[in-house]
Amino acid sequence: MMRYEIRFVLFRRGLAALLALVVAVTAPGLAPAALAAPKPNPNYTIDRFAEGERLLLPLLMSRYRHTEQTRNDPNIDNFIGYGRNLADAHWRTTENGKTIDWYLTAPSVSPFKANTKVALIDIFQFDESTGLWRLVDAAGKQLLDAKGQPVVWDKSSQASLAVDMSQEPSLAEDLKQGKLHSEPNIRWVLDRKVGPALNRGDLANLVDEVGSEKMFCSGPSDCVNELKRTFFPKLQRGVILTDLPSESMLKRTAYPSGPAKKKVSEEAKQQAREQLANKQYSDAVVEKGVQDWDKQGRPVAAGAQVAMGGKGFGTGSGNAAAAGPAELAGTDPGGIDFTTLQLRYLAESPGGDLRYAYSASPAGPGVASDVNGGRAAMAQMSDAFYVWLNLPTSKFWVNLNPSEPDRIIDAKLATTDVGRILLQADLDMKKMSAKLTNPNTDLGRQFWGEPDPDALEECVVTRQWIVPKPATVYQADGGIYILDAPLEVKAESQLSKGKFGDPSCPAPSDRMEKVFEQLILPKVEDAVNHAPEFAELRRVYLARVAAEWYRERKSGALTSMIDSGDVHRWPAMQSWQPKQVFDAYVKSYRDHEYNVTKNVDRGGYRYTFTYSDGGVDFGDVKFSGVAKSEFQQQYGDVSKAVGQSFEQRAPDAHNRIWLGATAQVKPKPLDYTSGEDQYADDGPPPDRALEPARSYTAIYGWTLAAVLMMFVAALFLVLVLNVRAATRR
């Protein structure tokens, strides 16, 4: 019995030893296996660049400076090849009350001897008020050349900083291991160069956006989250130009050498070779993007995104650009009055494609079509559609009230052109109302009455705001025709509200209130619905009607956007601040739109009379449906024109021209396995290869299975020997 117990203890020790062996052999594979299927944090946003968006422009400028301009430079330290990745970061500081937008670009650095170890760093500042860029040094001062002259970004390849990373002791190990990718290089430059020059240690915490030409990470890693967790704690958005693998990655797969030959399947080799033949790799995409931008005149001003076609339905989704006459209108206007351009039709196919059509009036004789105006109008409407879709309807208001300076507009709406247009329309409406009451006009004299020393002093205080009237629509075949979308101007006087004691008008006049509502208000409403100065308001409201239709469907490729609250992809195309509009209103209210003095002589006395004057809510949209028979009878030409507009410009019987297009709007899934891997993208290592999306789980799974089989065999052998030994005794 004792001998049996001893044998059991020995057996347990042997088992423990074997388990330790199993852990020792398989442990290197356990961690990669756990990371083999990276899933980005759903709260972390990764977008594709839209053409010409602000964060993309520094990358294009740096590429032009250090790749296109230095192609023939014999010094490789002055050149950033398309095989290397380039990334940029944005942050914002305030100095003496002025906001400064900073952008820093940095390339990846290769560990291989034949490649340069110099990182050419550009630092840009963008001035919102002027729409201009300037190159600066690490201290934020204008970058100067050897002669002390300002460096113009497209006239010189002089970098803000040129850092030889091989001479930095703290980077030696990372350089050796090929870890000097663009994003960690940005962090290092902020911490070691820019921060000390500005006497700040918080720059990495200020970074809110990071853009990269290629995917941030590749294969079994958690670097999507790591980008925020390790480098930029306050990061809100990551943006990439392409998720295709690099040329060198494809070559390592297509033509593996050394031990890698056995690890790459024939299927993977063939796929990689086809991609190489068709130039389906990131290097080619980046190069083409830079050269196309160069051919367009290298636009970088505030309107660059519109000029480059980066505004519209489906932009930034990773799909092909929208196709149809509406998308060609900006290059071939053909006598269209773009000031009348309006979104009047929207539909979604079962596959998730968005079909849309604009109507416009023909340009009059001798009137040139405004190409840029047409592009801007289309951009306004597509942006507005997405803004109305993403923000909750409770945010769709603006308010100009001198007693409520802190309740002007919702903060997120204020970042968009929709917010700007609504607030400006509210101001214009109020100023128009005031001007119509000028006593030097016929209408003003009716409003104020003739000056009479024997009459009581009259005044009135009114509040006016714009709201939608029911929109007349026809819905059929998965689409909506917006036939009419009128707006209403409402007014409410202090008298009708039963409130008295306004310092500017202690005794409101019932007569003046009636004249205002019967004579003044209809003219203001007519202007809101027809005058050129309110054209932008009418455009964004039509987009609101289309968005409401999409909301009510509760299905489609864009339903995930509804009430998301995220409108960062549709920022205002021109710089503006709500406080500026509010201050303009307060000035108008305080200083008056007019100040008229009239004298009346009576009974030997001269009486002097002085006359002076003093939101938009799209939260609720209602539809008034049209029956099919009525639609066919009254708008049959519209249906026909819309159908034709996707192939060619189509006139209807109401002297309007229709332009249609189709866009794929459902975002194309990102390939998280195609970005920078552990090898440099500007040259494959001599004896290694990386198969795209290689499964560490599969590799270590077979290893673990083999070891376990060995363990079972050894266990069986130990049991047999113990049984035989016990039998002999």
Side-chain angles (χ1 to χ4, degrees), residues 73-90:
D73 195 321
N75 185 352
I76 63 171
D77 291 345
N78 296 331
F79 178 71
I80 301 176
Y82 282 114
R84 297 168 70 182
N85 186 54
L86 194 66
D88 68 341
H90 166 263

Side-chain angles (χ1 to χ4, degrees), residues 198-275:
L198 295 173
N199 196 28
R200 299 189 65 146
D202 62 342
L203 294 185
N205 289 330
L206 299 180
V207 171
D208 58 356
E209 288 186 305
V210 171
S212 175
E213 293 174 335
K214 306 173 187 179
M215 178 56 76
F216 296 115
C217 58
S218 178
S221 77
D222 191 33
C223 62
V224 173
N225 294 324
E226 192 71 16
L227 189 64
K228 181 171 184 176
R229 189 164 54 234
T230 301
F231 301 127
F232 310 110
K234 301 298 177 62
L235 189 67
Q236 299 298 314
R237 181 179 181 232
V239 198
I240 63 164
L241 187 61
T242 175
D243 61 350
L244 288 174
S246 67
E247 182 181 18
S248 61
M249 286 183 69
L250 289 176
K251 285 181 177 179
R252 290 195 288 272
T253 303
Y255 308 104
S257 60
K261 287 184 176 181
K262 298 179 180 179
K263 299 178 180 178
V264 182
S265 69
E266 289 300 320
E267 182 182 359
K269 291 179 187 177
Q270 184 59 34
Q271 180 182 346
R273 289 169 185 173
E274 290 177 1
Q275 286 183 264

Side-chain angles (χ1 to χ4, degrees), residues 169-191:
S170 64
L171 298 176
E173 191 61 29
D174 285 345
L175 177 61
K176 181 179 178 181
Q177 296 180 16
K179 292 183 178 180
L180 296 186
H181 295 307
S182 307
E183 298 80 26
N185 288 349
I186 291 175
R187 172 64 190 261
W188 187 87
V189 171
L190 288 176
D191 289 346

Side-chain angles (χ1 to χ4, degrees), residues 283-447:
D283 317 43
V285 171
V286 174
E287 183 173 11
K288 184 179 185 303
V290 174
Q291 293 177 353
D292 287 348
W293 171 73
D294 187 18
K295 292 175 183 177
Q296 290 178 289
R298 302 188 292 277
V300 295
Q305 191 167 357
V306 175
M308 295 173 65
K311 289 279 190 180
F313 292 103
T315 54
S317 64
N319 298 303
E327 296 306 312
L328 299 175
T331 57
D332 182 22
I336 296 175
D337 181 359
F338 282 113
T339 63
T340 65
L341 197 70
Q342 295 182 335
L343 178 66
R344 290 286 183 170
Y345 175 79
L346 188 71
E348 186 175 37
S349 70
D353 292 346
L354 215 58
R355 291 164 61 83
Y356 51 96
Y358 303 104
S359 74
S361 300
V367 178
S369 295
D370 182 1
V371 175
N372 293 329
R375 290 173 176 166
M378 292 180 182
Q380 276 181 358
M381 286 182 278
S382 61
D383 274 17
F385 173 79
Y386 285 116
V387 169
W388 297 129
L389 209 59
N390 281 270
L391 286 182
T393 57
S394 60
K395 308 291 185 183
F396 299 164
W397 57 268
V398 296
N399 174 57
L400 286 178
N401 187 323
S403 63
E404 295 181 307
D406 298 325
R407 203 178 74 87
I408 303 172
I409 188 173
D410 173 75
K412 289 186 177 180
L413 189 63
T415 66
T416 70
D417 273 319
V418 169
R420 174 186 65 79
I421 291 168
L422 263 62
L423 202 60
Q424 187 63 48
D426 190 19
L427 174 61
D428 291 343
M429 174 198 63
K430 288 175 168 61
K431 295 178 76 170
M432 176 175 287
S433 297
K435 288 178 179 178
L436 288 173
T437 64
N438 190 316
N440 284 335
T441 65
D442 290 339
L443 196 58
R445 279 190 288 272
Q446 293 183 63
F447 176 71

Side-chain angles (χ1 to χ4, degrees), residues 144-189:
L144 303 177
D145 60 18
K147 297 180 180 180
Q149 298 300 311
V151 174
V152 181
W153 72 265
D154 59 347
K155 306 298 182 185
S156 168
S157 61
Q158 179 181 333
S160 298
L161 296 168
V163 184
D164 187 342
M165 308 300 254
S166 66
Q167 300 302 308
E168 301 292 338
S170 64
L171 298 176
E173 191 61 29
D174 285 345
L175 177 61
K176 181 179 178 181
Q177 296 180 16
K179 292 183 178 180
L180 296 186
H181 295 307
S182 307
E183 298 80 26
N185 288 349
I186 291 175
R187 172 64 190 261
W188 187 87
V189 171

Side-chain angles (χ1 to χ4, degrees), residues 313 340-347 355-361 381 470-475 479-487 529-530 535 538-539 541-543 545-546 549 631 635 638-639 642 645-646 652 656-660:
F313 292 103
T340 65
L341 197 70
Q342 295 182 335
L343 178 66
R344 290 286 183 170
Y345 175 79
L346 188 71
R355 291 164 61 83
Y356 51 96
Y358 303 104
S359 74
S361 300
M381 286 182 278
T472 303
V473 301
Y474 177 66
Q475 303 182 50
I480 182 173
Y481 296 83
I482 307 173
L483 305 174
D484 192 21
L487 295 168
N529 283 288
H530 301 102
R538 295 192 293 271
R539 287 195 198 109
Y541 173 57
L542 285 164
V545 174
W549 166 79
F631 177 77
Y635 303 99
V638 171
S639 177
V642 168
S645 72
F646 298 102
D652 64 15
R656 291 181 301 184
I657 299 172
W658 290 81
L659 305 168

